[in-house]
Amino acid sequence: MTGGAILRVEGSAITAGDGPVLLRGFGLGGWMNMENFITGYPGAESQMRRALLRTMGREVYDRFFDRFLDVFFTDDDAAYLASLGLNSLRIPFNYRHFEDDGEPFTIKPQGFRLLDRVVDTCARHGIYTILDLHAVPGAQNQHWHSDNPTQWASFWAHRHFQDRVVHLWEHLAEHYRANPWVAGYNPVNEPADAEGSTIGPFYRRLEAAIRAVDPEHILFLDGNRYSTQFDQLGDPLPNTVYTAHDYALPGFVDGGPYPGVSRGEYVDRDQVEETFLARTAYMRETGTPIWVGEFGPVYTGDPGRDEQRYRLLQDQLEIFARHDASWALWTYKDIGLQGLVHARPDSAYLGRIAPVVAKKARLGVDSWGSTDEHIRHIMQPVEDLVAREFPAFAPYPWGAQRWIAGHVRHVMLAEAMVDDYAGCFAGVGPEEAERLADTFAFTNCRVRTPLVDILADHRTEST
C-alpha cells in the first residue's frame, strides 16, 4: 500500500507519474456523514443522534453506531467496487468525528481510526480515496447534508469556524501526507457563500496552510453555490482540481420524463451536455482537470420512469468520457433511493422505521427524497402569500419557493419528526441494535443490477 507515486495535476490531466489517470467511482454518502434519505431518518444528523441517544441510552446507542460504522463499508464493498473496474471512492465525513464543539481545536483520534480503515481497505484493492469534509462547524451551506438544521450557513460569517476547519485540515494533511492511495483532499463540500466574498480568500488561506504541511497531494476544490459557480475563485491554484457537481433536472425526485420537461425546462441529451459544459467552463478555460464530484439520478421504483433515469445516467457517463472527465457517482449505499447497493426492503431495520419513512413521504419532509404532493394545499397559500407581499424576495441560493420548502418541510416538519424516528428504537437492546446495524453489511444488501450493467458498459469504453 506504499511506494507508489502520489497523484498530481499536470496541465488538464491527473497523473500518477507514468501517465494520466481518470478517477471513476462513487461517493460513500451516509457513513461518516449521515444523510436523512440515505438511512431513513428525518432532519439533520446531529438532531437524529441526540434523539437516539435519549431513547436508546448510551450503551445501546454506542453499540448501534459502532457496528454501523464498522459494517457500512468493508473489504467486501471495496472488492465489489474493484470488480466493476472502478478506481476511486470519495469519502464524505462530518467534522464531529474529529472535534467536539465543546472542545474546539482538540482533535479526536477516533476519526482517524475510522477513516484509516476505509482508506487502507480501498488501497488493498487498488482504489484511490478522496477525503471530503462534507459538514463543517457552522455549516458551509443551507441544507441537511452539511448537518445544518436551520438553513443558515454561518461558516462564512464567523472566523472561529473557519479557523477550526484550517486547523483540522492541517492535521488531516499531516496524517495522510505520505499516502499515495489518497488521491487528494476535498476540503469543503458544496460551499454556499451567499455574499461570494469569503470563499476565494478562504480557499487561498486553506491552500497555504495545507501546502505548508503537505505540498504534494491534490486539492479538489468545489465551486460556490453547491459546486456550480467558479467565477468567485480567481485564478487556479497549483496542483488543484476544480470540481463540478452535475445533477440533471430529470434525475431529481420531482423530475419529469427524459427527454421531456422538468421544472418547466425541456431536457434532452443535448441540453444535458450543454449544462455540463457550462458547469465545467472554468476548468476548460483554465486548462485544469475536470472532476464531477457528484451526480446521479434518484430512482422511483416505477420501471418506466427508472428506465428513463438509467438512460439519463448513461448519457451523462458518455458525455464525461468524451470530455476526459473523472467522476464520482452519488451514492454507493443507501436504503433504496440512489445507491448502487441498498438495504433489503424486508430487513429488520427498514421494517422498524417503515412508519417514519411513509410519514416522511406523506409530508414531503426529505428535501432529496420526497415531494410536497400531499401537502400542496398547505404550501401553495404560503407561496402565494410570499409572492404577493414580497414580490422581489429571492433568497440565496434557489429563490423563494425552495426557501419556503426548506423552512416548512425540511426544517420545521423534519425537526418535529425526529422523535418519531427515535421512537422506532424504544426498547431495543444492545444485541438487537447490532443486528439492526448489520442491515447495511454488503452481504445483507441488494445490488441495483441495471446500474451495474451501465457501469460495465462504460468501463469498456473509457478504460
Side-chain angles (χ1 to χ4, degrees):
M1 297 192 308
T2 59
I6 291 176
L7 297 186
R8 291 192 57 81
V9 171
E10 294 186 7
S12 62
I14 298 170
T15 70
D18 56 355
V21 173
L22 277 180
L23 297 174
R24 295 162 298 161
F26 276 86
L28 188 60
W31 180 54
M32 284 184 75
N33 188 73
M34 299 183 73
E35 296 192 36
N36 48 39
F37 76 91
I38 293 180
T39 54
Y41 65 89
E45 178 179 359
S46 56
Q47 292 174 309
M48 174 271 291
R49 282 178 170 268
R50 286 193 297 269
L52 280 183
L53 182 58
R54 289 194 303 268
T55 299
M56 290 177 151
R58 174 57 66 181
E59 179 188 2
V60 178
Y61 172 94
D62 286 345
R63 291 279 287 272
F64 175 79
F65 279 104
D66 287 350
R67 186 63 158 251
F68 174 87
L69 290 165
D70 279 346
V71 304
F72 196 88
F73 193 91
T74 67
D75 192 81
D76 290 339
D77 296 282
Y80 184 65
L81 288 176
S83 77
L84 299 178
L86 302 174
N87 66 354
S88 62
L89 184 72
R90 179 178 181 240
I91 307 178
F93 54 93
N94 191 315
Y95 79 94
R96 297 178 193 276
H97 285 287
F98 292 89
E99 183 192 78
D100 291 326
D101 289 330
E103 295 184 75
F105 303 103
T106 300
I107 301 299
K108 301 190 294 187
Q110 54 263 45
F112 286 107
R113 288 196 292 269
L114 289 167
L115 205 49
D116 284 350
R117 182 178 62 78
V118 169
V119 168
D120 293 345
T121 298
C122 286
R124 287 195 299 272
H125 292 276
I127 294 172
Y128 291 104
T129 46
I130 300 99
L131 309 185
D132 157 34
L133 183 53
H134 218 76
V136 309
Q140 75 276 14
N141 62 45
Q142 292 77 17
H143 294 121
W144 79 98
H145 45 85
S146 59
D147 197 7
N148 185 348
T150 70
Q151 282 208 128
W152 289 100
S154 298
F155 174 79
W156 305 105
H158 292 272
R159 175 79 179 208
H160 168 77
F161 294 141
Q162 297 163 27
D163 290 348
R164 287 165 63 182
V165 167
V166 171
H167 179 256
L168 174 56
W169 273 110
E170 287 172 334
H171 282 264
L172 288 162
E174 175 64 34
H175 189 82
Y176 292 106
R177 59 180 296 177
N179 193 324
W181 286 104
V182 172
Y185 311 136
N186 190 188
V188 182
N189 174 68
E190 292 194 342
D193 174 11
E195 299 298 327
S197 58
T198 304
I199 185 170
F202 175 72
Y203 271 172
R204 289 189 288 276
R205 177 191 174 200
L206 186 61
E207 187 260 356
I210 291 174
R211 298 292 190 222
V213 177
D214 177 359
E216 301 299 328
H217 273 99
I218 294 171
L219 293 186
F220 292 83
L221 295 184
D222 284 21
N224 201 18
R225 199 180 176 94
Y226 294 72
S227 208
T228 63
Q229 181 183 11
F230 298 86
D231 60 320
Q232 297 157 337
L233 303 189
D235 294 333
L237 296 167
N239 201 31
T240 297
V241 173
Y242 290 86
T243 79
H245 290 187
D246 195 25
Y247 291 104
L249 289 179
F252 287 118
V253 66
D254 62 347
Y258 179 73
V261 176
S262 293
R263 297 183 183 175
E265 182 176 343
Y266 182 80
V267 182
D268 59 9
R269 181 192 172 99
D270 288 344
Q271 197 279 335
V272 169
E273 184 164 16
E274 182 180 327
T275 300
F276 164 78
L277 291 173
R279 290 175 175 171
T280 58
Y282 176 88
M283 297 73 158
R284 293 191 310 281
E285 291 167 1
T286 58
T288 53
I290 298 173
W291 183 55
V292 180
E294 288 185 24
F295 71 107
V298 169
Y299 302 104
T300 67
D302 176 87
R305 293 184 69 193
D306 285 351
E307 177 57 36
Q308 294 176 3
R309 288 163 188 245
Y310 291 127
R311 191 181 317 143
L312 168 65
L313 177 61
Q314 180 68 48
D315 285 350
Q316 286 188 286
L317 289 172
E318 290 173 356
I319 290 166
F320 298 165
R322 284 197 292 106
H323 292 278
D324 293 325
S326 295
W327 47 263
L329 184 59
W330 193 263
T331 183
Y332 170 63
K333 185 182 286 187
D334 65 1
I335 61 172
L337 194 71
Q338 278 192 292
L340 171 70
V341 172
H342 60 86
R344 293 180 180 272
D346 60 353
S347 65
Y349 175 82
L350 285 183
R352 186 168 282 273
I353 69 168
V356 169
V357 172
K359 188 173 182 178
K360 286 201 301 175
R362 177 167 57 85
L363 297 179
V365 167
D366 283 353
S367 176
W368 200 244
S370 59
T371 70
D372 65 4
E373 174 186 2
H374 300 294
I375 58 167
R376 184 97 290 267
H377 62 290
I378 303 294
M379 303 302 297
Q380 191 66 55
V382 179
E383 293 169 10
D384 291 344
L385 173 66
V386 171
R388 183 172 62 251
E389 299 290 346
F390 312 104
F393 184 56
Y396 185 92
W398 314 121
Q401 185 177 29
R402 292 175 68 179
W403 178 85
I404 293 166
H407 278 294
V408 176
R409 294 163 50 199
H410 317 316
V411 173
M412 183 180 74
L413 294 179
E415 183 172 349
M417 276 199 69
V418 168
D419 283 333
D420 286 23
Y421 175 82
C424 294
F425 299 88
V428 168
E431 289 76 20
E432 185 180 1
E434 291 187 345
R435 288 195 297 271
L436 291 170
D438 282 341
T439 290
F440 294 95
F442 181 81
T443 53
N444 294 332
C445 290
R446 289 182 179 174
V447 170
R448 193 179 297 276
T449 304
L451 181 50
V452 172
D453 294 340
I454 290 171
L455 293 171
D457 291 343
H458 184 73
R459 175 180 59 183
T460 299
E461 68 188 40
S462 62
T463 299

